[in-house]
Amino acid sequence: MLHGNNFLLFIYAVFVNGKFCKDPKLAKAEDFYYSGLNIPRNTSNPVGSTVTPVNVAQIPGLNTLGISLVRIDYAPNDGLNPPHTHPRATEILVVVEGTLYVGFVTSNTDNRLIAKVLYPGDVFVFPIGLIHFQFNEGKTKAVAFAGLSSQNPGVITIANAVFGPNPSINPD
C-alpha cells in the first residue's frame, strides 16, 4: 500500500512510450551511461552471433530520444545474424572487424535482394521494416556496430516467427 510521499509520486508519475519519465531535476549521469561494448561476446550458439543491445532498457535517458545502438559479434566461418526486421527502426551498420556479406529484401511485389560485401570501415543501411541479414564469410571473427532510429526498435527474427509460434501455424 502506497502512502505519504510515495503515494504522491505514484499519482504524478509520467510514463512515455511505456517507460517511466524521471523528473529532469533528478537525472544523473548513470541515466545516460552504458559500459562494456568493447567486450567481445560469446558466439557459440546455433547461429554463431550475439547481439548486445543498448536501448532504453539499458539507458533510461534514451527515452523519447529516438535512437539506440547494438554491438554484433559474429563467429568465424559462417556466423550469421539471421534474417530479421525492426518494425520501428531504420538500421545503419558499420563493420569494425572482419568481412560481412549483408543485405535486405525490398517489399512486395519486387522482393529484390540488395546486398554487398562489407569490410572494416564500410557502412550499410537497412530501411525500416525490411527483412535483412548479416553473414560472416571470413575465416576470422567479425564485429559490427549498428545505430537504430528508435529507442526501442524491436526485432522479429523471421524463422522464429514463421516456424516457432505458440500455437504453431497450421502447416496447411
Side-chain angles (χ1 to χ4, degrees):
M1 174 179 226
L2 297 173
H3 54 82
N5 291 337
N6 290 335
F7 182 68
L8 290 176
L9 178 63
F10 180 74
I11 289 175
Y12 295 107
V14 176
F15 288 81
V16 178
N17 298 322
K19 299 290 182 183
F20 176 71
C21 235
K22 185 182 266 189
D23 181 333
K25 292 180 228 145
L26 302 176
K28 53 189 182 220
E30 289 74 21
D31 297 327
F32 301 89
Y33 174 79
Y34 178 88
S35 181
L37 279 186
N38 60 317
I39 300 168
R41 299 313 199 261
N42 183 355
T43 56
S44 298
N45 57 55
V47 295
S49 72
T50 297
V51 177
T52 305
V54 182
N55 58 41
V56 71
Q58 288 77 33
I59 301 178
L62 283 174
N63 198 17
T64 75
L65 297 184
I67 59 170
S68 58
L69 176 73
V70 297
R71 174 191 170 121
I72 312 163
D73 290 272
Y74 308 85
N77 302 311
D78 306 337
L80 172 69
N81 189 5
H84 63 281
T85 182
H86 303 288
R88 296 181 293 275
T90 292
E91 177 179 338
I92 185 166
L93 179 117
V94 60
V95 176
V96 295
E97 186 177 339
T99 304
L100 295 176
Y101 174 63
V102 306
F104 65 88
V105 178
T106 63
S107 57
N108 292 343
T109 60
D110 280 350
N111 293 317
R112 259 184 334 120
L113 174 64
I114 305 217
K116 186 147 183 68
V117 175
L118 303 180
Y119 303 95
D122 290 348
V123 175
F124 200 82
V125 174
F126 305 105
I128 188 169
L130 295 185
I131 297 171
H132 59 283
F133 65 90
Q134 301 102 38
F135 177 75
N136 183 1
E137 62 176 27
K139 304 222 179 298
T140 62
K141 71 177 183 171
V143 177
F145 287 87
L148 296 121
S149 63
S150 171
Q151 68 179 26
N152 187 14
V155 65
I156 301 168
T157 303
I158 306 307
N160 295 350
V162 173
F163 301 111
N166 183 13
S168 63
I169 297 171
N170 183 333
D172 293 336

